């Protein structure tokens, strides 16, 4: 993680946001928080990135992922970069979601 990102992630308000995210316990609560916290566009973007990560994790080629999700090549590349070498957030969530199915 680069210095700027480390600094951002260590702020008290970011800690409070992370605590808020882990405090929800149902899909309905999570949706309510997202609606209050994010714009529709931000929710769409986050959902798209998670779907891109899921498809890449399943081995789908970049072109198929772009076509299926409408994501730009930049978004697909960025998600792939973090899926394969980020902080482990995508991996953690994808593994947990896969275990819940």
């Amino acid at each position: 993680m680069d210095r700027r990102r480390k600094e951002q992630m260590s702020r008290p308000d970011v800690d409070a946001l992370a605590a808020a995210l882990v405090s929800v316990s149902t899909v309905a609560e999570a949706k309510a928080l997202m609606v209050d916290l994010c714009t529709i566009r931000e929710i769409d973007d986050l959902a798209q990135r998670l779907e891109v990560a899921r498809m890449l994790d399943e081995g789908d080629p970049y072109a198929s992922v772009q076509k299926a999700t409408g994501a730009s090549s930049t978004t697909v590349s960025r998600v792939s970069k973090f899926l394969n070498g980020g902080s482990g957030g995508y991996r953690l969530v994808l593994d947990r979601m896969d275990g819940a199915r």
Side-chain angles (χ1 to χ4, degrees), residues 79-95:
V79 170
S80 178
K81 174 185 169 185
F82 283 99
L83 177 63
N84 295 305
S87 300
Y90 278 126
R91 172 66 37 228
L92 175 71
V93 168
L94 290 172
D95 288 350

Side-chain angles (χ1 to χ4, degrees), residues 4-57:
R4 182 172 178 247
R5 195 172 293 255
K6 281 182 182 179
E7 288 173 3
Q8 182 182 35
M9 295 307 294
S10 65
R11 293 182 354 216
D13 58 336
V14 174
D15 288 344
L17 174 60
L21 292 172
V22 299
S23 74
V24 298
S25 57
T26 67
V27 171
E29 289 176 358
K31 286 181 177 182
L33 178 60
M34 287 188 302
V35 166
D36 289 351
L37 192 60
C38 302
T39 65
I40 295 298
R41 176 63 192 207
E42 289 167 336
I43 293 168
D44 288 344
D45 288 348
L46 293 170
Q48 180 187 65
R49 289 177 194 149
L50 187 57
E51 180 62 7
V52 166
R54 187 194 63 75
M55 292 180 74
L56 290 173
D57 191 50

Side-chain angles (χ1 to χ4, degrees), residues 51-83:
E51 180 62 7
V52 166
R54 187 194 63 75
M55 292 180 74
L56 290 173
D57 191 50
E58 290 181 356
D60 292 352
Y62 277 36
S64 297
V65 173
Q66 282 182 256
K67 186 174 182 180
T69 64
S72 69
S73 59
T74 302
T75 296
V76 175
S77 294
R78 186 175 296 130
V79 170
S80 178
K81 174 185 169 185
F82 283 99
L83 177 63

